[in-house]
Amino acid sequence: MANDQILTADDVIERTKKYLNDDHVSMVRHAYEFARDAHSHQFRKSGEPYIIHPIQVAGILADLEMDPSTVAAGFLHDVVEDTEVTLEQLAEEFNDEVAMLVDGVTKLGKIKYKSHEEQQAENHRKMFVAMAQDIRVILIKLADRLHNMRTLKHLPPEKQRRIANETLEIFAPLAHRLGISKIKWELEDTALRYLNPQQYYRIVNLMKRKRAEREKYLDNVVDEVKERLQDISIKSEISGRPKHIYSIYRKMVLQHKQFNEIYDLLAVRIIVNSIKDCYAALGIIHTCWKPMPGRFKDYIAMPKPNMYQSLHTTVIGPKGDPLEVQIRTIDMHRIAEYGVAAHWAYKEGKTVNEKTSFEKKLSWFREILEFQNDTTNAEEFMESLKIDLFSDMVYVFTPKGDVIELPSGSVPIDFAYRIHSEIGNKTIGAKVNGKMVTLDYQLKTGDIIEILTSKHSYGPSLDWVNLAQTSQAKNKIRQFFKRQRKEENVLKGKELVEKEVKNMDFDLKEIFVPENVQKVVDKFNFANEEDMYAAVGYNGITASQIANRLTEKWRKKRDSEDAIKEAIAEIKVPVKHRRRDSGVKVKGIDNLLIRLSKCCNPVPGDEIVGFITKGRGVSVHRSDCPNVQNVDMQDRLIPVEWETDTTELKEYNVDIEITGFDRNGFLNEVLQVVSETKTKISAVSGRSDRNKMATITMTISIQNISHLHRVVERIKHISDIYSVRRIMS
């Protein structure tokens, strides 16, 4: 799965020939030809023909030895979204399975959403629901995301950061939960490169400096272990395991450590033929070097839920530094690298029992369907998913010894509902490790949980919604109250909403027209008006949320009109006192004091907005300035625009921050390049840390945004520059 090789369609077909029969290879080839023709006139941001992307996605899936329908869907995954091809055509041309897989990864393009975030959440909800029905959907999506991350350099910086952040929040954790470390590490490292390039390249440079020393050390360790294992006739493959950049970065951030304070950069992986040899090799390692207390983990006897198996131990190595050792069999290594994909890999004659066993291991994924049925909107669904699937986990036991995986911070209520809804509803208490505990007790890895139930229980308490940590438990508690008191909750909910609207001083008849109420019902994804009021009644959603949405249009109109009238009357001044040296004017209004905000230093070409201040006129900010993002301030914003006839004559101060590798002459070279652009430097300061990271802060005078871009581009061409960015004061 090398990321520096651009595959051709023939390369992908050749890879499939190694494990597919002739009929299936023909189907995959037909999928490529169909996709090639569909995308024939399309190009990527890089300027390359669009078909290159589907070829790389199919290539990643072929490396995982996926079945023919999945590899075919890799070639076809964008045809419905980006061309005139329909799902019906795919089903007819190939089969229903291929059409279903393509549909699972196709974004919702026909519906208009109020924000990009809302649209993304809906896209993710659709993908996860499809994935819960067939896990191959997410394997295609991971392959798609992996190639997109490899080519992220062709997109604008803002889009790079958004996609990288989404990758770290959703796709890398998904790859982890599915055990596909090969994809997980590359997604995380690439995302870090775009989210925090300074730290990424600093770690890369620091790792390069001591690479030769580390490699020599590991070679000595490998030779010694290999010799010891040969003495007891154990065949093995031993290698140094590279520490990934993102894992080092996380350790530095979470443990507040400098790079030189991280000692477990050294790791050795031993691959043997059998489980018996794994434990024998562990004995040899502990004989050679002293093990560190509390650092041994046996994932062979107790595999992780993502099917990962291995022995982990940390010893005091030859030079007194910690040395991490992983020991596993060849099959375990394949699962560690490819996770769920190793189980799903194409294999003719796969038995029903094998498929059933595999499906059971992924039962936690089926819970996604329950989440999506009970959440009121897509954003809530995604937040639930992040908590339940992507947070740190604890592993606890039932009294019979079965392992249950729960998010960190879970309580006995979460455990009870994970076992069964009725057990949760009838819970009256819990024992942990044989001792009674309260229902808000936070479970720890290794705890043995026994839930006490009673058939005479009246059911859960509403307080349990706040105690529970998992969405599954919260949703099932809410479901219980929905069923118990629906009519009562509908009446109570409607009364609460009407009361909120009255308190806002609006006419109920004007607000509660059927069209307006239906919009709110649709917005929160309720089946009907009755369900919406019932949700308010049982505290599934607040009355103020519904009332705010119902009155949104009227409130905005009333608030903005009143606020602007007041403020404009307050700050109008005689013409002779009007300041015009800002180069900005208020649309449709004259005689106002106008000044450029120093917090974000807007310049011609920036998108701007005016903020009405008391006694100081209109303060002009960049539209993305955090100081005008506050919801409470929206009624004081006013449209402004640049005076195009005079902007070229003025100069504006801008603060920029330049980071790079500290070397002799670095600052002088930066100053010289800026001077060559005939740009005035008003202030400059610099600093360097112990890791040779130089940071230069500079205030320059420019005429417009194009001028700024020219200066930044010139600076970025200096060697050893990590980043150049505009900063707020």
Side-chain angles (χ1 to χ4, degrees):
M1 209 177 282
N3 61 12
D4 56 352
Q5 180 185 2
I6 303 298
L7 301 176
T8 65
D10 288 338
D11 292 332
V12 179
I13 302 299
E14 284 303 311
R15 293 182 185 194
T16 61
K17 284 180 180 178
K18 294 176 183 177
Y19 68 95
L20 294 180
N21 63 38
D22 291 345
D23 288 342
H24 288 151
V25 171
S26 296
M27 173 188 170
V28 170
R29 186 187 298 278
H30 178 42
Y32 158 67
E33 292 166 351
F34 189 94
R36 178 197 61 199
D37 294 342
H39 292 297
S40 58
H41 301 298
Q42 294 178 330
F43 296 87
R44 302 196 85 205
K45 294 286 187 185
S46 61
E48 299 171 321
Y50 192 89
I51 190 61
I52 287 178
H53 170 64
I55 290 172
Q56 308 316 304
V57 172
I60 293 168
L61 295 167
D63 277 342
L64 297 174
E65 296 190 359
M66 297 304 295
D67 62 283
S69 290
T70 306
V71 180
F75 277 122
L76 300 163
H77 75 278
D78 275 337
V79 295
V80 173
E81 186 177 327
D82 294 335
T83 76
E84 299 301 314
V85 175
T86 65
L87 288 171
E88 290 73 21
Q89 284 177 270
L90 287 184
E92 187 177 332
E93 192 78 22
F94 298 95
N95 55 49
D96 289 338
E97 190 176 30
V98 169
M100 179 273 295
L101 292 173
V102 172
D103 184 39
V105 293
T106 299
K107 293 176 186 172
L108 302 166
K110 309 296 181 191
I111 305 171
K112 297 294 182 186
Y113 293 93
K114 290 193 174 178
S115 67
H116 175 80
E117 290 74 16
E118 184 183 350
Q119 182 168 12
Q120 280 297 83
E122 286 289 0
N123 285 331
H124 289 142
R125 189 216 290 257
K126 178 179 184 288
M127 179 186 69
F128 279 109
V129 172
M131 177 182 67
Q133 294 165 337
D134 194 316
I135 199 71
R136 291 173 295 174
V137 169
I138 197 58
L139 297 178
I140 299 167
K141 192 62 186 176
L142 284 173
D144 172 56
R145 178 52 60 112
L146 182 59
H147 183 247
N148 282 335
M149 290 299 290
R150 289 173 180 174
T151 56
L152 207 55
K153 63 184 176 184
H154 301 293
L155 297 180
E158 185 181 337
K159 202 166 185 181
Q160 288 175 348
R161 286 190 293 273
R162 178 172 59 74
I163 292 172
N165 191 59
E166 181 185 63
T167 298
L168 268 189
E169 278 195 349
I170 294 172
F171 292 99
L174 252 180
H176 172 68
R177 288 301 304 270
L178 295 172
I180 314 173
S181 61
K182 196 97 174 166
I183 290 179
K184 175 206 171 192
W185 288 120
E186 188 178 339
L187 289 177
E188 288 182 336
D189 285 357
T190 312
L192 179 63
R193 192 167 80 209
Y194 290 99
L195 288 173
N196 198 333
Q198 299 100 317
Q199 289 287 22
Y200 176 87
Y201 287 110
R202 181 167 74 111
I203 293 169
V204 169
N205 279 331
L206 292 168
M207 290 178 76
K208 277 181 184 174
R209 285 189 218 162
K210 294 192 175 182
R211 178 178 290 170
E213 181 185 328
R214 283 201 309 274
E215 287 178 351
K216 184 179 178 183
Y217 175 87
L218 285 172
D219 287 344
N220 292 335
V221 170
V222 168
D223 289 343
E224 184 171 351
V225 173
K226 192 168 285 187
E227 189 179 324
R228 294 292 192 98
L229 291 177
Q230 284 173 349
D231 289 344
I232 59 173
S233 302
I234 291 180
K235 291 182 181 179
S236 63
E237 183 184 316
I238 308 173
S239 60
R241 184 181 67 83
K243 196 81 172 175
H244 294 278
I245 296 167
Y246 184 73
S247 65
I248 295 172
Y249 168 75
R250 271 183 61 83
K251 190 161 284 191
M252 291 169 68
V253 170
L254 296 177
Q255 298 180 13
H256 306 292
K257 289 185 176 181
Q258 292 294 321
F259 182 85
N260 56 11
E261 296 176 291
I262 298 176
Y263 298 110
D264 59 346
L265 294 174
L266 304 173
V268 171
R269 180 176 291 143
I270 303 171
I271 299 175
V272 295
N273 291 330
S274 68
I275 293 176
K276 174 172 68 73
D277 289 347
C278 288
Y279 289 99
L282 177 69
I284 292 294
I285 294 297
H286 284 180
T287 302
C288 291
W289 300 290
K290 190 174 183 180
M292 292 179 66
R295 296 296 296 271
F296 170 65
K297 294 183 178 69
D298 187 343
Y299 294 119
I300 293 179
M302 197 174 81
K304 290 185 178 181
N306 63 10
M307 295 161 282
Y308 176 89
Q309 286 185 289
S310 189
L311 295 177
H312 288 196
T313 187
T314 303
V315 297
I316 304 298
K319 291 186 178 180
D321 291 333
L323 172 69
E324 185 183 304
V325 182
Q326 297 178 352
I327 308 167
R328 60 181 70 144
T329 65
I330 296 168
D331 286 343
M332 291 175 191
H333 181 62
R334 177 162 175 75
I335 291 169
E337 294 289 290
Y338 299 106
V340 66
H343 285 269
W344 202 274
Y346 177 78
K347 186 169 73 176
E348 288 189 280
K350 191 178 283 186
T351 67
V352 174
N353 284 341
E354 283 180 299
K355 290 180 179 176
T356 304
S357 172
F358 172 60
E359 289 291 317
K360 283 182 179 176
K361 290 176 181 175
L362 289 171
S363 59
W364 57 272
F365 244 42
R366 305 297 174 262
E367 293 163 9
I368 291 170
L369 287 173
E370 292 182 33
F371 300 160
Q372 79 97 22
N373 285 335
D374 292 307
T375 51
T376 56
N377 58 47
E379 287 102 325
E380 183 184 336
F381 169 70
M382 287 309 300
E383 286 307 311
S384 300
L385 203 66
K386 288 175 189 176
I387 293 168
D388 285 6
L389 300 185
F390 305 148
S391 59
D392 291 334
M393 311 305 287
V394 294
Y395 304 97
V396 296
F397 295 92
T398 67
K400 291 182 179 179
D402 295 327
V403 180
I404 302 294
E405 180 188 37
L406 292 165
S408 181
S410 291
V411 298
I413 293 168
D414 298 298
F415 177 87
Y417 279 102
R418 180 61 56 87
I419 300 300
H420 197 279
S421 300
E422 280 309 302
I423 291 178
N425 289 339
K426 297 295 182 182
T427 295
I428 58 170
K431 285 184 179 180
V432 173
N433 303 325
K435 295 181 180 178
M436 289 293 295
V437 296
T438 57
L439 291 179
D440 62 355
Y441 169 86
Q442 288 198 359
L443 304 178
K444 301 177 183 64
T445 294
D447 283 345
I448 301 171
I449 321 297
E450 181 185 351
I451 298 297
L452 306 178
T453 61
S454 169
K455 61 183 179 181
H456 303 297
S457 167
Y458 289 107
S461 160
L462 261 178
D463 292 339
W464 288 12
V465 175
N466 298 322
L467 288 180
Q469 298 299 305
T470 63
S471 298
Q472 182 191 25
K474 289 176 184 286
N475 289 336
K476 287 182 176 177
I477 294 164
R478 288 175 182 140
Q479 281 177 15
F480 177 86
F481 286 102
K482 280 185 196 177
R483 290 191 300 269
Q484 292 290 312
R485 301 196 294 246
K486 175 125 189 220
E487 286 184 21
E488 178 187 333
N489 284 328
V490 169
L491 292 171
K492 178 182 174 185
K494 188 170 185 180
E495 186 181 316
L496 288 171
V497 173
E498 288 179 347
K499 185 177 178 183
E500 283 285 337
V501 172
K502 275 184 183 175
N503 289 341
M504 294 177 182
D505 201 23
F506 286 108
D507 182 0
L508 295 184
K509 288 181 182 177
E510 184 182 17
I511 301 299
F512 285 90
V513 292
E515 298 82 9
N516 191 37
V517 174
Q518 189 59 46
K519 279 183 186 176
V520 179
V521 169
D522 294 341
K523 170 65 185 173
F524 288 102
N525 286 335
F526 289 110
N528 50 50
E529 186 179 345
E530 204 174 62
D531 282 358
M532 179 179 76
Y533 291 131
V536 176
Y538 66 75
N539 293 329
I541 191 168
T542 65
S544 60
Q545 282 178 278
I546 301 296
N548 283 336
R549 190 64 72 178
L550 283 167
T551 59
E552 185 175 29
K553 184 173 73 174
W554 288 271
R555 280 187 299 108
K556 279 184 178 177
K557 186 179 177 183
R558 182 172 69 182
D559 293 350
S560 61
E561 285 176 357
D562 292 349
I564 289 177
K565 280 178 186 175
E566 259 178 54
I568 287 174
E570 185 181 281
I571 62 172
K572 271 205 171 190
V573 295
V575 175
K576 65 179 180 179
H577 294 305
R578 183 181 173 210
R579 292 177 55 188
R580 298 192 57 88
D581 58 349
S582 64
V584 176
K585 62 182 180 180
V586 177
K587 293 182 183 178
I589 305 173
D590 207 357
N591 302 344
L592 294 183
L593 287 169
I594 301 173
R595 62 187 180 84
L596 298 180
S597 166
K598 291 184 179 179
C599 61
C600 58
N601 286 332
V603 300
D606 283 332
E607 288 188 15
I608 52 175
V609 66
F611 179 72
I612 300 169
T613 62
K614 291 190 177 180
R616 299 181 63 197
V618 175
S619 173
V620 178
H621 295 256
R622 278 166 39 198
S623 298
D624 60 353
C625 178
N627 290 331
V628 293
Q629 299 299 315
N630 192 323
V631 177
D632 296 336
M633 296 181 175
Q634 298 304 302
D635 60 350
R636 299 190 73 83
L637 298 183
I638 190 169
V640 293
E641 59 188 12
W642 294 104
E643 293 181 314
T644 53
D645 57 330
T646 60
T647 50
E648 294 299 321
L649 305 175
K650 303 178 187 305
E651 288 192 336
Y652 301 82
N653 284 342
V654 171
D655 295 324
I656 59 173
E657 181 185 85
I658 304 151
T659 59
F661 180 66
D662 193 13
R663 55 172 169 77
N664 289 335
F666 182 66
L667 175 59
N668 288 338
E669 192 172 342
V670 171
L671 294 174
Q672 183 179 343
V673 164
V674 175
S675 296
E676 287 172 359
T677 65
K678 297 183 179 178
T679 301
K680 179 181 170 186
I681 301 173
S682 303
V684 65
S685 63
R687 66 182 188 278
S688 178
D689 63 21
R690 58 175 137 174
N691 292 311
K692 303 290 283 182
M693 169 70 79
T695 303
I696 300 168
T697 305
M698 186 181 294
T699 302
I700 57 176
S701 299
I702 62 157
Q703 293 175 344
N704 52 40
I705 199 73
S706 299
H707 184 181
L708 175 62
H709 287 164
R710 287 199 303 274
V711 176
V712 169
E713 285 304 313
R714 288 291 304 276
I715 296 172
K716 285 165 76 174
H717 280 86
I718 300 172
S719 61
D720 295 319
I721 288 286
Y722 295 154
S723 71
V724 184
R725 68 186 184 100
R726 185 175 174 184
I727 58 175
M728 305 254 185
S729 298

